[in-house]
Amino acid sequence: MKTRTSRFCWMMTVMVNMVLGSAIAAAGETEKVKERDEVDQKYKWATENIFASLDEWETEFAKLEKIIPDLAAFKGTLNKGPSQLLKVLKLRDDTEARLDRVYVYASLLSDQDTRVGEAQGRKSRARTLAINYGQALSWLDPELTAIPFETVDSWMKANPDLNLYRQAFDDLYRQKKHILSPREEELLAMTGELRSVPGTAYSLLANADMQYPTITDEDGNTRELDDSAFYLFMRSTDRRVRKDAYEAIVGTYNKYRNTAAALLNGAVQSHILTVKARNYDSCLAAALDTGNVPVTVYNTLVDTINENLPLLHRYQQIRKDALNLDDGVHAYDLFAPFITGQKLEYSYEQAVDEILTALEPMGADYLMPMKKGFDSRWVDVYPTKGKRSGAYSSGTFLTQPYILLNFHGSYEDMSTLAHEMGHSMHSHFSRGTQPYVYSDYSIFCAEVASTCNEILLQNYVLDHTKDPKKKLYLLTEFLEGIRGTVFRQTMFSEFEQKIHEMAEAKQPLTADTLGATYGKIMRKYYGPSYTHDDLVDNYWIRIPHFYYNFYVYKYATSYCAASNIARRIMDGEPGAREKYMEFLKGGSSKYPIDMLKVAGVDMTTARPFEDAMKIFEGLLDQTEALLQQVAVAK
Ligand SMILES: [Zn+2]
């Protein structure tokens, strides 16, 4: 059933964090990296709480291997009645929870040292086991939906235990009207491999085939350009370096613009095929239907951000003045810092204390289990040789949460810890409250709990930083966070929507039409202080998310939902904290938009988006005032 994709949910969470964190993860890799056994155990995650030994893992693996054929044997028996259906679903839930545990353990061991071949082997065996399981049970959803909903409804009334699955059934039957005849479904499935070609070809083009030229850095050294180096160069204080890096990267895209356009057109045409075959109103409606997200939510996001574009224009005017950019803010100036050499430093213990204090408004029933989590080794803290880069929150129904960090001691690292802890606390409460079937939250809700923690931490640290230069540094980091998460992702979403509409109206998607569309949206978003260079028209080639089918808007909606929640909690609004706790405990027991209503956020209104804009405006006010103060002090 649709709500039951736990294994894939947390893997998606990993992906989301890696994407947003890519700019940060690249920095600060120069210090000496230890071997894992040189690190004190208290800084390493407690994987022994899952399986005490590899033998135990092997025993469980072998048991699961035997269960899988048993599941396949239930095929054709669901119409026997409510108790049979319940039996199969219970067995499925139990097996899946155990499969998740086997996979998570193998995955954690593999990520803590990617150099160990046996660990990679275990992870790959666990993945294959999960795939075999999926195939052995692929008959279940079609067989279930072949039974009329009225029958299943009467079974739920007759058997209250089966009623537990009401929401899951609703989600499954809800999409039934878009499911075609078996032969038509078979034909559509046959197109799957073919339809994955544009995305695969794009990925190979961008990651394997494109060769970027070298550039000369601030110190006159010749430097290779790759993705992470690009973001570091975009944050350089030397404008010449930023310009060279930008022109080297986007200039390379420019050479492949026709191929890239044909590939993106291929992806869009594949979405149109789905719309026509499954009778949806539009590509947008089809994509949003997967999570049962109303199109109004998407439109309200885009409309409200558009109404607030003067704030982004004001930010660019501040940028232009602060950096003395007489010819305007060019695309390569957008990431440049206002102030440098002001990094804040924290030991891991200080970061934990700071987070615990900053999150005090969440109340004891949030803080106590979080403190316990820190004390009982949820977190794998330091980078070690062979350890996977970046950060994520993992774990599953039958395990405690686990957080992978690569903590170097910067503010960003502390904020990442608060972020991942937000995911882990959400998991802790949902798994502790919900049955397995609803124990994982949807992708749409996933980034709310993490962002809410980030915002609380941000406010606390801003309030407690007195040094104007340090404060200015923090303010620009926070402004960049909202620009990158809310404005930029909404801008990408708008481009995505526009090109789908063009294709739906049978207008050609070529390098020229795509470039003109992108350039127009860039000018609109960044406003009068922004100077557009023609080369920027090709920047859309850089964004792999355009192959994910309306994914990026969720970054923006999550941030806005979290700002609304954080604001109400910080204001001490009666009931706000309690409602949020209910949300954290809700897992996927309701559709995402209804789940957020439990937290007191109505995503069908402009309010949460306006709240995010108010935070941005407040940060702009403070930045403007501080820039004057710092300038006077010079
Ligand atoms: Zn996250």
Side-chain angles (χ1 to χ4, degrees):
M1 269 170 272
K2 267 275 141 52
T3 43
R4 289 274 339 83
T5 48
S6 56
R7 258 192 317 286
F8 306 105
C9 270
W10 69 258
M11 283 201 258
M12 288 299 276
T13 310
V14 171
M15 195 177 81
V16 168
N17 298 343
M18 306 254 315
V19 167
L20 282 179
S22 59
I24 295 158
E29 301 286 346
T30 46
E31 65 211 71
K32 179 168 172 352
V33 180
K34 288 181 175 172
E35 285 291 344
R36 196 162 176 81
D37 56 15
E38 294 176 279
V39 175
D40 194 315
Q41 201 195 25
K42 68 179 175 184
Y43 300 116
K44 293 190 272 195
W45 50 25
T47 51
E48 73 277 10
N49 291 349
I50 312 180
F51 293 106
S53 66
L54 288 174
D55 284 349
E56 268 192 24
W57 183 84
E58 289 290 355
T59 309
E60 175 69 349
F61 189 96
K63 281 185 191 163
L64 286 165
E65 260 181 331
K66 286 209 184 74
I67 293 173
I68 290 175
D70 296 349
L71 283 162
F74 286 102
K75 188 177 177 186
T77 68
L78 294 187
N79 58 7
K80 279 187 182 171
S83 55
Q84 179 70 6
L85 178 57
L86 184 63
K87 185 177 160 187
V88 174
L89 294 178
K90 289 261 181 217
L91 181 62
R92 179 204 62 180
D93 289 0
D94 179 59
T95 311
E96 237 170 79
R98 290 169 61 188
L99 277 164
D100 287 350
R101 181 171 56 182
V102 158
Y103 184 82
V104 163
Y105 182 80
S107 176
L108 297 180
L109 256 52
S110 142
D111 286 351
Q112 71 186 25
D113 193 346
T114 56
R115 298 169 304 178
V116 183
E118 303 94 84
Q120 305 301 320
R122 273 192 298 274
K123 186 176 172 182
S124 132
R125 280 169 60 209
R127 191 184 291 123
T128 308
L129 188 69
I131 291 170
N132 292 344
Y133 162 83
Q135 285 171 354
L137 217 66
S138 62
W139 54 271
L140 200 150
D141 287 356
E143 187 173 321
L144 179 58
T145 46
I147 303 170
F149 182 76
E150 294 68 34
T151 309
V152 175
D153 191 37
S154 71
W155 289 356
M156 284 190 279
K157 281 171 186 150
N159 187 333
D161 288 344
L162 192 61
N163 200 40
L164 170 78
Y165 293 94
R166 183 169 287 279
Q167 167 67 17
F169 291 152
D170 189 80
D171 197 30
L172 189 61
Y173 281 89
R174 172 181 76 76
Q175 297 177 70
K176 202 183 162 184
K177 61 177 179 286
H178 299 293
I179 296 173
L180 309 173
S181 74
R183 178 61 184 155
E184 287 167 330
E185 284 294 331
E186 196 182 352
L187 286 170
L188 267 187
M190 281 182 202
T191 66
E193 190 76 21
L194 180 67
R195 291 166 73 184
S196 70
V197 169
T200 313
Y202 166 76
S203 175
L204 290 169
L205 177 70
N207 300 309
D209 294 348
M210 278 190 194
Q211 299 291 324
Y212 304 110
T214 54
I215 68 151
T216 308
D217 72 7
E218 297 87 344
D219 305 320
N221 304 314
T222 303
R223 295 282 300 270
E224 302 260 340
L225 264 180
D226 61 19
D227 206 58
S228 49
F230 176 67
Y231 275 110
L232 288 179
F233 287 131
M234 284 302 100
R235 291 169 71 91
S236 172
T237 48
D238 186 337
R239 198 180 194 199
R240 196 268 310 155
V241 171
R242 295 199 302 265
K243 185 168 186 283
D244 285 357
Y246 192 93
E247 287 177 354
I249 286 265
V250 187
T252 306
Y253 296 141
N254 187 38
K255 290 184 193 159
Y256 297 93
R257 60 200 289 269
N258 296 309
T259 310
L263 291 174
L264 188 54
N265 182 45
V268 172
Q269 294 302 331
S270 159
H271 303 155
I272 290 181
L273 194 153
T274 302
V275 168
K276 287 185 177 161
R278 298 198 182 280
N279 296 314
Y280 280 102
D281 291 340
S282 65
C283 294
L284 178 65
L288 266 56
D289 192 50
T290 316
N292 203 17
V293 175
V295 173
T296 40
V297 171
Y298 185 95
N299 290 336
T300 311
L301 165 75
V302 173
D303 291 349
T304 314
I305 300 308
N306 267 277
E307 281 162 22
N308 284 279
L309 284 180
L311 290 175
L312 185 60
H313 300 169
R314 187 180 150 203
Y315 179 35
Q316 298 320 314
Q317 182 63 49
I318 295 173
R319 171 167 295 276
K320 186 180 167 194
D321 295 343
L323 299 175
N324 295 316
L325 307 171
D326 295 339
D327 59 339
V329 178
H330 288 253
Y332 47 80
D333 298 320
L334 289 171
F335 297 85
F338 288 175
I339 192 159
T340 52
Q342 299 300 323
K343 274 199 174 297
L344 286 84
E345 299 260 307
Y346 303 86
S347 70
Y348 178 67
E349 280 73 12
Q350 284 171 331
V352 169
D353 282 348
E354 198 90 341
I355 291 169
L356 285 166
T357 316
L359 296 189
E360 262 169 19
M362 295 294 304
D365 44 351
Y366 187 90
L367 286 181
M368 294 308 282
M370 185 169 80
K371 189 170 180 336
K372 212 175 147 207
F374 280 125
D375 294 342
S376 55
R377 293 164 51 216
W378 283 8
V379 189
D380 205 78
V381 180
Y382 294 112
T384 48
K385 283 199 179 136
K387 183 170 159 180
R388 182 183 168 146
S389 61
Y392 65 66
S393 165
S394 177
T396 180
F397 190 63
L398 298 176
T399 76
Q400 66 182 53
Y402 288 93
I403 294 174
L404 180 133
L405 277 192
N406 280 283
F407 189 87
H408 293 278
S410 66
Y411 178 84
E412 289 77 13
D413 290 341
M414 176 168 76
S415 182
T416 301
L417 175 59
H419 179 108
E420 300 307 337
M421 208 30 141
H423 286 308
S424 283
M425 291 306 292
H426 195 180
S427 302
H428 166 80
F429 286 118
S430 280
R431 289 172 193 154
T433 312
Q434 296 297 326
Y436 177 76
V437 65
Y438 306 125
S439 60
D440 265 306
Y441 34 83
S442 66
I443 297 280
F444 192 88
C445 292
E447 292 305 324
V448 174
S450 51
T451 310
C452 198
N453 279 6
E454 272 186 54
I455 296 173
L456 284 165
L457 178 67
Q458 169 180 317
N459 272 279
Y460 174 82
V461 175
L462 260 188
D463 281 354
H464 290 82
T465 303
K466 299 290 169 237
D467 176 352
K469 285 185 177 170
K470 282 200 164 42
K471 201 161 182 152
L472 183 60
Y473 166 77
L474 280 172
L475 280 165
T476 47
E477 290 295 302
F478 301 157
L479 281 168
E480 273 304 284
I482 300 181
R483 180 183 76 85
T485 316
V486 183
F487 286 107
R488 193 158 179 257
Q489 303 303 334
T490 306
M491 186 187 94
F492 288 154
S493 305
E494 218 175 310
F495 173 74
E496 206 176 358
Q497 185 181 13
K498 182 73 191 158
I499 65 171
H500 279 85
E501 283 171 0
M502 284 160 66
E504 282 162 358
K506 298 198 166 51
Q507 292 166 21
L509 297 186
T510 63
D512 285 345
T513 60
L514 288 168
T517 306
Y518 191 81
K520 198 172 161 195
I521 293 178
M522 274 295 282
R523 287 189 191 88
K524 180 175 81 168
Y525 267 70
Y526 289 107
S529 312
Y530 166 73
T531 304
H532 189 79
D533 300 309
D534 288 345
L535 194 61
V536 181
D537 285 355
N538 300 291
Y539 196 84
W540 59 268
I541 300 171
R542 188 172 169 71
I543 314 300
H545 301 72
F546 295 144
Y547 292 86
Y548 302 172
N549 199 5
F550 291 98
Y551 188 89
V552 290
Y553 83 97
K554 292 177 208 170
Y555 294 128
T557 51
S558 291
Y559 189 95
C560 296
S563 354
N564 176 284
I565 293 168
R567 177 188 60 76
R568 287 185 293 113
I569 290 174
M570 287 186 292
D571 289 354
E573 183 186 296
R577 202 190 67 79
E578 289 77 6
K579 282 180 193 163
Y580 181 52
M581 288 300 289
E582 282 311 300
F583 163 82
L584 293 177
K585 290 174 184 170
S588 54
S589 58
K590 289 179 163 60
Y591 291 120
I593 298 301
D594 297 333
M595 207 65 244
L596 281 165
K597 278 187 185 153
V598 172
V601 190
D602 188 348
M603 297 303 286
T604 63
T605 69
R607 188 62 200 261
F609 309 115
E610 286 165 352
D611 275 341
M613 293 297 98
K614 276 196 198 112
I615 292 183
F616 190 74
E617 189 171 22
L619 293 171
L620 282 178
D621 291 343
Q622 292 189 62
T623 305
E624 243 173 359
L626 265 177
L627 274 168
Q628 283 182 357
Q629 209 180 319
V630 171
V632 170
K634 264 182 190 167

